[in-house]
């Protein structure tokens, strides 16, 4: 039983599937009718107009938005579910109504009642057109034949009756006629519906009877616990067989509409499935506490619904997923139990290759999966896996070209799961838990134990396997015999889908999808509320998948969307060149054009292919606020200007990314005061004085215009503003302009004109304007104001502008232009991500003399004797905000006969290579920071400042010149000379230099100087982005050193944090010591961490934990035996003591039984990360964090933003 939906409610007495929508009606014993969407398992509506007890019958109309119900209130109600109410009620029955049903073609309703009658109603005229009498006890059910004019009824009088209703087809009833206007014959039954057969054979009352959808068969179930099969012809009906098995009353029985099965349920709490042909029981589904009352089947699908005492269950008897796999243009699919090979480029019909096994019974097919060997190009290898016999498989090996004459026999075997691993090998998960590797002759080559408890295996790449262990997926390398990586998928993986080039993989569960790379590196995961049915990768690396209701897509960066909706579920096999090939539930291969415009647009934007972005916008008819919002979210609002026509939207977008000219055009069209004000503010921010001046003129903001002329030194226009103010009669504007101009005479005139003669006279005397003083003193009439002039008065005039703007130089210079993003013909694409394989140094590389006393004192297990003193307070560095300029657009200038300055040495090497080290050597610090921001997600540049200076100074030397003259700088080159074109600067942080730092840090670790070691490892982490690799080997070495520094930095932080804790925090001390043992260090250092953790746990009386560390020391290989002999002997003694006590006093967040290599630590909180928890990573050092740390500064490298989407580190030219 494949349960699709299960509900909890009162006892369910009636059920009905909607013919097209994913709805089911359930009528309850308490009088309520519920409408459920079984696809998402949610209650849509409730109808509660029935009064007086249970509603026993309910039925959807085949085409109209109607359903009918009948209950113990003797009423038949017809409902419109769109209006959500009852539209009319049919009255006539005199007792409980057991079942109601719509006719598929005629406007009829059939009802059966405890009043011993069956009635046929015309729901259009709302009248009863026939009363079928003959039963002498309760009529428990009545049903129309799906094709013929027949009705079957079952009654507690122990009979099943079949009625002929052909005479009703020609009968017409006026709309006004009601039950009171029927003829006298209606009381005793009319001749329009007559009894054709009476089937007798049951010993007790019959509860249910049903027609076969196509054959002349009837099935019935009764209180005698028997199910009887009847056959009929034109003249008679007779009993065919009796099915025994139920041990209580049979409540309901029917034929499956699509398979040769009989379904029955009973008050014995079972659902039984019977084979119609063999007339035997196939399967029994049991429920512990609930009796079953009703069963119904969907007419066009394999869904079945049953009602019981506590609700209902919607289920399928067997999985309908087609067995198929597509590789290239060839589809390998099982159709009608035959393996077919279809060339999709030639058509949708193929050639039969082989035959599969016969199904074990009529209910299930027994087939689980089909796999094609993608590694073998010379022949066809197909594995078909079956669930029968506790798991088995068929191996088909056929020629590369399949014709109509091809027939391949199968090589068979038993297995729990199978998967191809190489050109001529496949893996078999045996029932013992081991994995066997077989050749194509089905012969065992070798066998091994998987590293984890495995319950399924999947294709994992060449000589690789994906091992499923509950919710965890592990990638295992069969050649190296090691685990490459692992991920967790909530709900457990059901299907694994690889891309055509085997670079991407999608892991699908019931409701979750995880996208990863070929080495199982995590890309993105998401949850769907509706079941995920299938999915494929298209040729562009986009995952297209189907749920029950939609076809959707997802990019590897996490961007997704809906392509279109679905009426019926499909199983996608291939998406190629805008075409989708899929298989429906009838095993038919179909082809459909797919609208890929939206996701190809997003993919082009993600890959920075702006020419393609422009093409998709122009030709793909992309529009709407959703696309605009997406572009704004991704930081490309300017792209939206290429398809937005609304001027208000264009204005907002142009302002958002600072395109003043575009915003100016839109503002001119809109001509609104608010738009001009916003444009003025943005222009002022960018220093575009011309547009600010025009905006102030448009809005008549004269005061702001005057101040603009003042701060820009435009005295000529400021004088014009004074005249304009005088013409406007604005006294305050005249006075302010006079102050800004320093025009004392004008100020005196204004004050005198406004009647402020004393102030005018005071101003004139203070500035010694002799031509105004006599006239003003006359108006003062002898008042002396000289006493009011302070003795230390100073002249107040505006400063003289040092720079007076011209028409070409008034605007602030911009480093780059933001216009015409698509005029660039080449754009930098992110380099393909390289895998950082951990390659730590061997234990033999450690110093020979290891001062163990720096870590512990073996006599008293005193761990505080380590030499590391402590790091002190953690770095508290703010996030530096850098306005990083874009790359300059070099414009080719016309040839000139003028003598120009030659290129500098720095400009020449930057033409060839622009790595961070080259930019720093050239003094382009801001551009180097900009590059690191794109590559590493840099948000804190403060730790890089001393390294930048050192790297810059290392490339310069000063040559002495003439006496008392400044020294002349000379650039030091790593390759070439100043006269050559191909030159490279001297690089301070070479791979050899960084390797020496790492070795120094490892020595300090051995000596127990953890704070000094932390500084060295962090400094090495900071130096690596400023290094340059000359070849792929050096690049790989630098990438490995990033991993080494990350692990050692985390270890140093753990140890110093542990030593800084109070003695009362015993549990946390033990935890940190335990986490330290899981860091990937040198073997000698792992031995030291185990000794520390063992001692710490033992002193804290966590004996079980201490025993696990001691066991690792005894069983592990940590260097030459003579060097670790004493430590191992101590561990053996301690292990014996701990096994005797076998208790942990303190509860800690650490599982000592789990493998150390599976442990994940949050580098922010120094707490473990559970396998299923979402994580975020530092884009530079790859430290793992809880998802709550996303967007914060990485605590390991102290450079990058956690979870940032970056291009990745670049250490040599592409």
């Amino acid at each position: 039983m494949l349960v699709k939906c299960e509900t909890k409610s009162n006892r369910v007495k009636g059920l009905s599937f909607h013919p097209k929508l994913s709805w089911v009606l359930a009528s309850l014993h308490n009088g309520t009718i519920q409408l459920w969407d079984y696809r998402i398992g949610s209650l849509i509506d409730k109808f509660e107009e029935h009064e007086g007890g249970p509603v026993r019958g309910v039925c959807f109309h085949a085409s109209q938005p109607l359903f009918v119900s009948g209950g113990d209130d003797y009423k038949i109600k017809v409902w419109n579910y769109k209006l959500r109410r009852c539209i009319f009620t049919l009255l006539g029955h005199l007792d409980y109504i057991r079942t109601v049903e719509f006719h598929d073609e005629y406007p009829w309703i059939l009802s059966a009642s405890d009043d011993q009658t069956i009635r046929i109603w015309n729901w259009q005229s709302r009248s009863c057109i026939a009363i079928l009498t003959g039963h002498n006890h309760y009529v428990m059910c009545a049903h129309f034949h799906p094709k013929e004019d027949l009705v079957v009824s079952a009654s507690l009088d122990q009979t099943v009756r079949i009625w002929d209703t052909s005479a009703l087809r020609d009968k017409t009833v006026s709309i006004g006629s009601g039950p009171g206007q029927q003829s006298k014959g209606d009381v005793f039954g009319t001749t329009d519906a007559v009894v054709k057969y009476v089937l007798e054979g049951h010993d007790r009352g019959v509860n249910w009877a049903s027609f076969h959808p196509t054959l002349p068969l009837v099935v019935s179930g009764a209180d005698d616990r028997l199910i009887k099969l009847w056959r009929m012809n034109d003249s008679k009906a007779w009993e065919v067989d009796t099915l025994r098995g139920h041990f209580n009353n049979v409540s309901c029985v029917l034929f499956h509409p699509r398979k040769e099965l009989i379904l029955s349920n009973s008050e014995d709490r079972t659902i039984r499935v019977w084979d119609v042909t063999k007339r035997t029981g196939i399967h029994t589904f049991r429920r512990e506490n609930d009796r079953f009352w009703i069963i119904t089947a969907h007419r066009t699908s394999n869904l079945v619904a049953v009602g019981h005492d506590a609700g209902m269950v919607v289920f399928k008897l067997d999985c309908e997923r087609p067995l198929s796999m597509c590789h290239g243009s060839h589809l390998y699919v099982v159709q009608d139990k035959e393996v077919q090979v279809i060339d999709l480029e030639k058509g949708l019909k193929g050639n039969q290759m082989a035959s599969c096994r016969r199904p074990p019974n009529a209910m299930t097919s027994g087939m689980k999966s089909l796999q094609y060997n993608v590694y073998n190009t010379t022949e066809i290898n197909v594995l078909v896996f079956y669930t029968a016999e506790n798991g088995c498989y068929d191996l088909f090996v056929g020629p590369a070209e399949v014709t109509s004459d091809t027939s391949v026999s199968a090589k068979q075997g038993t297995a729990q799961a199978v998967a191809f691993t190489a050109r001529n090998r496949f893996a078999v998960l045996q029932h013992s838990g081991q994995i066997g590797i077989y050749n194509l002759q089905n012969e065992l080559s070798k066998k091994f134990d998987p590293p984890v408890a495995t319950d399924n295996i999947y294709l994992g790449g060449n000589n690789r396997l994906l091992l499923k262990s509950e919710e965890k997926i592990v990638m295992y390398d069969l050649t190296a015999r090691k685990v490459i990586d692992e991920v967790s998928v909530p709900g457990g993986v059901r299907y694994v889908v690889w891309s055509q080039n085997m670079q991407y993989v999608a892991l699908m569960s019931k409701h979750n999808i995880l996208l990863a790379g070929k080495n199982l590196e995590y890309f993105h995961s998401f949850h769907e509320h509706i079941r995920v049915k299938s999915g494929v990768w298209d040729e562009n690396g986009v995952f297209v998948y189907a749920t029950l209701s939609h076809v959707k897509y997802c990019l590897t960066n996490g961007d997704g969307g809906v392509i279109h909706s679905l009426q019926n579920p499909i199983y996608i096999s291939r998406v190629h060149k805008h075409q989708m090939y899929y298989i429906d539930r009838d095993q038919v291969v179909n082809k459909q054009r797919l609208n890929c415009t939206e996701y190809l647009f997003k993919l082009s934007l993600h890959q920075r292919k702006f020419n393609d972005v422009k093409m998709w916008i122009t030709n793909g008819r992309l529009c709407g606020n959703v696309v605009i919002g997406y572009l704004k979210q991704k930081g490309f609002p300017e792209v939206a200007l290429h398809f937005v026509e609304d001027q208000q939207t264009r204005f907002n977008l142009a302002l958002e990314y600072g395109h003043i000219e575009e915003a100016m055009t839109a503002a001119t069209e809109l001509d609104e005061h608010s738009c001009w004000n916003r444009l003025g503010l943005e222009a002022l921010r960018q220093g575009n004085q011309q547009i600010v001046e025009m905006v102030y003129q448009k809005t008549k903001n004269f005061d702001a215009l005057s101040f603009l002329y003042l701060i820009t030194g435009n005295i000529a226009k400021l004088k014009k503003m004074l005249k304009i103010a005088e013409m406007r009669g604005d006294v305050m504007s005249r006075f302010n302009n006079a102050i800004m101009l320093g025009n004392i005479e004008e100020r005196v005139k204004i004050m005198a004109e406004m009647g402020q003669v004393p102030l005018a006279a005071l101003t004139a005397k203070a500035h010694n304007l002799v031509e105004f003083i006599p006239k003003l003193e006359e108006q003062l009439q002898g008042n002396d104001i000289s006493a009011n002039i302070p003795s230390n008065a100073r002249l107040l005039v505006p400063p003289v502008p040092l720079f007076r703007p011209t028409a070409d130089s008034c605007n602030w210079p911009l480093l780059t232009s933001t216009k015409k993003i698509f005029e660039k013909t080449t754009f930098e694409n992110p380099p393909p991500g390289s895998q950082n394989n951990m390659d730590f140094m061997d234990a033999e590389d450690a110093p020979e003399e290891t001062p163990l006393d720096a870590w512990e004192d073996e006599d008293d297990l005193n761990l505080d004797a380590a030499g590391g003193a402590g790091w002190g307070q953690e770095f508290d560095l703010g996030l530096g905000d850098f306005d990083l300029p874009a790359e300059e657009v070099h414009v080719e200038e016309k040839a000139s006969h003028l003598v120009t300055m030659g290129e500098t040495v720095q400009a020449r090497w930057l033409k060839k290579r622009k790595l961070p080290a080259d930019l720093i050597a050239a003094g382009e610090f801001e551009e180097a920071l900009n590059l690191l921001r794109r590559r590493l997600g840099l948000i804190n540049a403060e730790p890089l400042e001393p390294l930048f200076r050192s790297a810059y100074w290392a490339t310069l030397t000063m040559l002495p010149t003439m006496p008392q003259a400044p020294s002349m700088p000379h650039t030091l080159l790593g390759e070439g000379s100043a006269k050559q074109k191909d030159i490279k600067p001297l690089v301070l942080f070479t791979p050899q230099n960084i390797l020496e730092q790492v070795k120094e840090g490892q020595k300090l670790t051995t000596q127990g100087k953890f704070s000094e070691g932390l500084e060295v490892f962090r400094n090495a982490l900071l130096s690596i982005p400023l290094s340059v690799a000359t070849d792929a080997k050096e690049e790989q070495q630098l990438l490995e050193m990033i991993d080494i520094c990350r692990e050692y930095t985390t270890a140093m932080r753990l140890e110093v944090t542990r030593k800084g804790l109070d003695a009362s925090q015993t549990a946390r001390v033990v935890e940190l010591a335990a986490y330290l043992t899981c860091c990937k260090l040198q073997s000698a250092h792992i031995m030291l961490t185990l000794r520390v953790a063992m001692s710490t746990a033992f002193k804290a009386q966590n004996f079980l934990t201490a025993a696990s560390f001691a066991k690792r020391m005894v069983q592990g290989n940590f260097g030459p035996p003579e060097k670790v002999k004493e430590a191992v002997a101590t561990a053996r003694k301690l292990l014996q003591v701990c096994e005797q006590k076998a208790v942990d006093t303190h509860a800690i967040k650490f599982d000592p039984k789990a493998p150390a290599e599976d442990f994940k630590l949050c580098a922010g909180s120094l707490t473990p990360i559970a396998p299923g928890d979402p994580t975020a990573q530092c884009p530079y050092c790859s430290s793992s964090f809880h998802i709550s740390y996303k967007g914060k500064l990485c605590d390991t490298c102290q450079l990058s933003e956690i979870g940032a989407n970056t291009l990745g580190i670049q250490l040599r030219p592409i």
Side-chain angles (χ1 to χ4, degrees), residues 381-392:
N381 308 144
V382 174
L383 277 171
V384 177
F385 183 71
Y386 305 85
T387 56
E389 302 175 10
N390 203 20
C392 55

Side-chain angles (χ1 to χ4, degrees), residues 658 660-661 685-688 811-818 885 888:
I660 294 297
E661 292 81 1
R685 188 185 68 82
Q686 292 189 15
N688 195 321
N811 295 335
W812 293 354
L814 298 178
L815 291 179
T816 58
S817 173
T818 58
E888 293 187 63

Side-chain angles (χ1 to χ4, degrees), residues 1028-1038 1211-1212:
V1028 177
T1030 57
D1031 53 25
K1033 183 178 179 181
E1034 282 193 352
E1035 182 181 32
Q1036 183 63 28
Q1037 186 181 25
L1038 288 171
L1211 298 170
R1212 66 189 181 110

Side-chain angles (χ1 to χ4, degrees), residues 371 375 383 417-422 425-429 434-438 446 448 450-452 454 456-468 473-479 482-486 496 498 518 520:
Q371 295 183 45
Y375 312 114
L383 277 171
V418 291
F420 285 107
T421 60
R425 294 286 188 273
F426 67 96
V428 172
L429 176 61
Q434 292 183 313
I435 296 178
I437 304 299
Y438 288 72
K446 60 181 178 180
F448 65 92
V452 294
T454 305
N456 208 340
I457 59 176
Y458 301 99
L459 186 73
N462 197 7
N463 287 315
R464 292 180 176 183
L465 271 179
L466 291 178
L467 312 179
K468 176 181 178 291
I473 284 287
V474 176
M475 178 171 279
Y476 185 71
D477 193 312
L478 299 175
T479 305
K482 68 175 184 179
V483 173
I484 297 175
D485 206 344
E486 66 177 54
V496 174
W498 285 91
K518 66 176 182 179
L520 218 58

